[in-house]
Amino acid sequence: MFETLKKAPVDKIFALLGEFRADPRPEKMDLGIGVYKDASNNTPVMRAVTKVEQQMLDEQTTKTYVGVTGNRGYCDAVVDLIFGDSIDLDRVASVQAPGGTGSLWVIIQLLNRARPGGKVWISDPSWPNHWPMMELAGLNPQSYPYFDPETRQVRFEEMMAHLDQLGPDDIVLLHGCCHNPTGANLTPEQWDVVADSLKRTGAFPLIDLAYLGFGDGLETDAYGVRKIAQTCPEAMVGFSASKNFGLYRERAGVAIAIGKDKDQAAIVLSQMGNVIRASFSQSPDHGAEIVRRILTDKALRAEWEKELGEMRDHMLRNRQKLAASMRKQSNSDEFDFIAEHRGMFSLLGLSKEQVEKLKEEHGIYIIDDSRVNIAGVPEDNTDALAEALIGVTR
Ligand code: LMR
C-alpha cells in the first residue's frame, strides 16, 4: 500500500513554527504563525473565556452529542455578530464547523457538489492553505491579481479588470478583512465596486472571515461581508473564532450560506449537514459553547469586546512603532505601509534569501514570502527589529 506514496509537502507555516521551537537561541523571535501575542509574548486565554470555562465545568452535566449541524445557539450568535440586522436572516443557513479551515472545508465540499471541478479565483497572494484545500476538494484553483509588491497596496484596477470578466460558474474567494498574508485591504468604496461586479457577472462570492475585529473594529471589519450579502443573491462565508476569541486549538468555526430565499437556504443547510455527517459527523463543542455563552451574555460580551479592543490597539501600536523605527533607520518612507496596513500581517517585500538570513543571523522567524506577524513585534524594542530587517536588505 504505502509504496505508492511519496512524502507530502510540508505546510510552511507550521514547519516554521517547528523550526522556531527547536531553535535554542534565547533572543529568537517568532513573527511567523498567525497567533496573537501580548506585550509579554504570550498568547493569552481571554478573560471572558476563562470565566466561561469555569462556568461550564460547574454547570455541564453531559457530553452527549449535540447534533450534526452543531450548537444552534452558537451559530445564531455568530451570524448575528457578523450580519447584525443588515440582511434578512431567513436567507441564511449556518452550521458549526471545526475552525476556519473546517468551515471552508464544508463550504468547498458543497460548492464542488454544485459546480463539480469549478474554478475558484484566489487572490495573488493568499493564505498558503487556500490553494491545496481547493485541489483536495476537487475544485480548480486559479489566481486573480491583488497585491502590488512595489506600492504594497491592492492592485485594485487590475483586480477588477479580472473579476469583471468572470461569469456565473466562477467562484471568487475574498478575505473579509485583514488580508492574509499582505495586510493590504479593500476600502469600503472598493467593496462596493466588488459587490456590484459580482452581482453583474453572477460570479459566486466565498468569503474567508478569520480575523473579524482584528482590523479596525467589529463593525468596520464587517463592512465587506455585509455589503456582499446585501448586494449578491448568493454567497458563502467561512468564519473562524480562533483569533478573535483566542480559541485556536478548540477549533470553533461556522460555515454560512446566504441564499436567494428561505427555501434555498433550507436546501443548502441540508447539504452542509450531509457533508458534515459524511466527513466528521459533527464538530467539537467546547469552543463553540464558550463563544455562545460569551456572545449571548451582556456582561461577558462587553468584557470580550474590551479585550479584543486591547488586542487590536496593541497591534496598531506595534505597526506604528515598527514603521517609525524603519523610517528612522532606513532614512526613507519605504516602510510606512506597515502603519497603514491592517490585521495581523504585513508582507514586507523581502526576498527568500533575506528572510533566510534573518533567521540564520538574528533568530527572527518570518514566513518565506516575508509575511510578518505584527502581533509578535516587540513593542518596546522595534528599533532592534528594524535594524535587523534593514540590515538584511543591504
Ligand atoms: C496563519 O496564517 O498563520 C494562521 O491562519 C494559522 C494557520 O492555520 O495557517
Coordinates of all heavy atoms in Angstrom, one line a residue, residues 7 18 24 35-36 68 90 93 96 114-115 130 150 155 195 202 221 280 296 334 376 384:
K7 N 6.6 11.4 -0.1 CA 6.5 12.3 1.0 C 5.7 13.5 0.6 O 6.0 14.1 -0.5 CB 7.9 12.7 1.5 CG 8.0 12.7 3.0 CD 9.4 12.9 3.5 CE 9.3 13.0 5.0 NZ 10.6 13.3 5.5
G18 N 7.8 24.8 13.9 CA 8.6 23.7 14.4 C 10.1 24.1 14.5 O 10.7 23.8 15.5
P24 N 17.6 26.9 19.9 CA 17.9 27.2 21.3 C 18.3 28.6 21.6 O 18.4 29.0 22.8 CB 19.2 26.3 21.4 CG 19.8 26.2 20.1 CD 18.7 26.3 19.1
V35 N -0.7 33.8 15.3 CA -1.4 33.8 16.6 C -1.1 35.1 17.3 O 0.0 35.6 17.2 CB -0.9 32.6 17.5 CG1 -1.3 31.3 16.9 CG2 0.6 32.6 17.8
Y36 N -2.1 35.6 18.0 CA -1.9 36.9 18.7 C -0.9 36.7 19.8 O -1.0 35.7 20.5 CB -3.3 37.4 19.2 CG -3.1 38.6 20.0 CD1 -3.0 39.8 19.4 CD2 -3.0 38.5 21.4 CE1 -2.8 41.0 20.2 CE2 -2.9 39.6 22.2 CZ -2.7 40.9 21.6 OH -2.5 42.0 22.3
V68 N -25.7 17.1 14.2 CA -24.8 17.2 13.0 C -24.5 18.6 12.7 O -23.3 19.0 12.4 CB -25.5 16.4 11.8 CG1 -24.7 16.7 10.5 CG2 -25.5 14.9 12.1
D90 N -33.8 35.1 7.1 CA -34.4 33.9 6.5 C -33.6 33.3 5.4 O -33.7 32.2 5.0 CB -35.8 34.3 5.9 CG -36.9 34.3 7.0 OD1 -36.6 33.8 8.1 OD2 -38.0 34.7 6.7
A93 N -28.3 30.2 6.1 CA -28.2 28.8 6.7 C -26.8 28.8 7.3 O -25.8 29.2 6.7 CB -28.3 27.8 5.6
Q96 N -22.2 24.6 12.4 CA -20.9 24.7 13.1 C -19.9 23.8 12.4 O -20.2 22.8 11.8 CB -21.1 24.1 14.5 CG -20.0 24.3 15.5 CD -20.2 23.5 16.8 OE1 -21.4 23.5 17.2 NE2 -19.2 23.0 17.4
A114 N -22.2 21.6 -6.2 CA -23.0 22.5 -7.0 C -22.3 22.7 -8.4 O -23.0 22.8 -9.4 CB -23.2 23.8 -6.3
R115 N -20.9 22.8 -8.4 CA -20.2 23.1 -9.6 C -19.0 22.2 -9.6 O -17.8 22.6 -9.3 CB -19.7 24.5 -9.6 CG -20.7 25.6 -9.8 CD -21.1 25.8 -11.2 NE -22.0 26.9 -11.4 CZ -23.3 26.9 -11.0 NH1 -23.9 25.9 -10.4 NH2 -24.1 28.0 -11.2
H130 N -5.2 27.9 1.1 CA -6.4 28.0 0.2 C -6.2 27.1 -1.0 O -7.1 26.4 -1.3 CB -6.6 29.5 -0.2 CG -7.2 30.3 0.8 ND1 -7.0 31.7 0.9 CD2 -8.1 30.0 1.8 CE1 -7.7 32.2 1.9 NE2 -8.4 31.2 2.4
E150 N 5.4 46.6 -5.3 CA 6.1 47.8 -5.3 C 5.4 48.8 -4.3 O 6.1 49.4 -3.5 CB 6.0 48.5 -6.7 CG 6.8 47.7 -7.8 CD 8.3 47.7 -7.5 OE1 8.8 48.8 -7.2 OE2 8.9 46.6 -7.5
R155 N -3.8 46.1 -5.9 CA -3.8 46.5 -7.4 C -5.3 46.5 -7.8 O -5.8 45.5 -8.4 CB -3.2 45.4 -8.2 CG -1.8 45.1 -8.1 CD -1.5 43.8 -9.0 NE -0.2 43.3 -8.9 CZ 0.9 43.7 -9.6 NH1 0.7 44.6 -10.5 NH2 2.1 43.2 -9.4
A195 N -18.7 44.2 -5.0 CA -20.1 43.7 -4.8 C -20.9 43.9 -6.1 O -21.6 43.0 -6.6 CB -20.8 44.3 -3.6
G202 N -22.6 37.6 -11.9 CA -23.1 36.4 -11.4 C -22.1 35.4 -10.8 O -22.4 34.4 -10.3
D221 N -14.9 46.1 10.3 CA -14.4 44.9 9.6 C -15.5 44.1 8.9 O -15.2 43.3 8.0 CB -13.7 44.0 10.6 CG -12.4 44.6 11.2 OD1 -12.0 45.7 10.7 OD2 -11.7 44.0 12.1
F280 N -17.0 14.2 9.2 CA -16.5 14.0 10.6 C -17.7 13.9 11.6 O -17.5 14.1 12.8 CB -15.6 15.1 11.0 CG -16.0 16.5 10.6 CD1 -16.9 17.2 11.4 CD2 -15.6 17.1 9.3 CE1 -17.3 18.5 11.0 CE2 -16.1 18.3 9.0 CZ -16.9 19.0 9.8
T296 N -23.9 35.7 24.1 CA -25.3 35.9 24.5 C -25.4 36.4 25.9 O -26.6 36.5 26.4 CB -26.1 34.5 24.4 OG1 -25.4 33.5 25.1 CG2 -26.2 34.1 22.9
E334 N 9.8 54.2 2.9 CA 9.5 53.0 2.1 C 8.6 52.0 2.9 O 7.8 51.3 2.4 CB 10.8 52.3 1.7 CG 10.6 51.2 0.7 CD 11.8 50.3 0.6 OE1 12.9 50.6 0.9 OE2 11.5 49.1 0.1
G376 N 3.5 39.8 17.0 CA 4.7 39.3 17.7 C 5.8 40.3 17.8 O 6.8 40.1 18.4
A384 N 15.5 47.4 17.4 CA 16.4 46.3 17.1 C 15.8 45.5 15.9 O 16.6 45.0 15.1 CB 16.5 45.4 18.3

